[in-house]
Amino acid sequence: MSFTFSKGARRTRFPAVLAGVFTICILSFDCVAQGAHSAALPRVGTIKDYPATGLMTGCGNLYVYPAVRQPGSSADAYLFLSNGDGGNAWMNLDGRDVRLRQVKVSQPLNRRLQRYDYRLGDLRVSVFIERYKPEGAPVAESDPMFKMKITLRRGRAVRIVRGVGDSDC
């Protein structure tokens, strides 16, 4: 069986086929690149060099540690540190202490909830702080003052980390 095409049909089909192949290649490369990039969210650890953050002095700093502490972890095993206004924020991502760039200072969402937004390269970090006091429990000085939800986003990938914390002074 043989196919015969007229010269005009060949001229029309070749650019159309070439354009189709080119489009498929571009779209498949873009999808693969996005998938590999978005899946690489950093691990969240505890801050290793607390003194280097510069948050050991002053009042009103926010100190957040894991909601469930590991047995034997030190008292200064913090997930997140910042000034009281959310500035000078630090986290440990993939084993490195990094300073986050605050991109949005929000007004309190209500009397109990506050939000801060940060960036580190293409990683977006949203921090929600909610005032917290266990109901019916007597308040002790070592009790946490707030609950925190940290949301990391890169592309469509999302990681949520929960913590509790307090403020000094």
Side-chain angles (χ1 to χ4, degrees), residues 19-36:
V21 169
F22 182 72
T23 303
I24 289 170
C25 288
I26 293 295
L27 291 177
S28 65
F29 176 74
D30 188 40
C31 292
V32 169
Q34 281 182 358

Side-chain angles (χ1 to χ4, degrees), residues 4-151:
T4 356
F5 294 104
S6 68
K7 204 174 199 181
R10 263 189 254 151
R11 285 186 189 150
T12 307
R13 287 184 189 199
F14 182 72
V17 170
L18 186 61
V21 169
F22 182 72
T23 303
I24 289 170
C25 288
I26 293 295
L27 291 177
S28 65
F29 176 74
D30 188 40
C31 292
V32 169
Q34 281 182 358
H37 188 64
S38 67
L41 284 173
R43 286 181 349 268
V44 176
T46 56
I47 294 173
K48 305 286 184 228
D49 192 2
Y50 168 52
T53 66
L55 293 169
M56 290 183 67
T57 60
C59 284
N61 297 325
L62 302 175
Y63 300 92
V64 179
Y65 40 88
V68 178
R69 288 194 185 196
Q70 300 298 324
S73 66
S74 70
D76 60 350
Y78 300 112
L79 291 175
F80 178 87
L81 296 171
S82 78
N83 292 337
D85 64 356
N88 193 23
W90 288 82
M91 289 183 71
N92 181 289
L93 301 174
D94 280 339
R96 289 183 34 233
D97 292 346
V98 295
R99 185 173 180 187
L100 304 173
R101 182 174 56 91
Q102 191 171 20
V103 294
K104 186 175 182 182
V105 179
S106 69
Q107 296 299 318
L109 300 173
N110 60 39
R111 289 173 32 133
R112 294 185 57 173
L113 190 63
Q114 178 74 38
R115 176 181 178 165
Y116 300 111
D117 291 297
Y118 303 94
R119 289 197 68 110
L120 181 66
D122 63 345
L123 180 71
R124 294 172 299 168
V125 179
S126 297
V127 176
F128 294 90
I129 300 173
E130 181 179 3
R131 296 199 185 283
Y132 171 73
K133 182 179 113 186
E135 289 187 33
V139 178
E141 191 170 316
S142 62
D143 288 344
M145 295 171 53
F146 53 84
K147 296 188 288 187
M148 177 182 263
K149 180 173 93 169
I150 303 170
T151 305

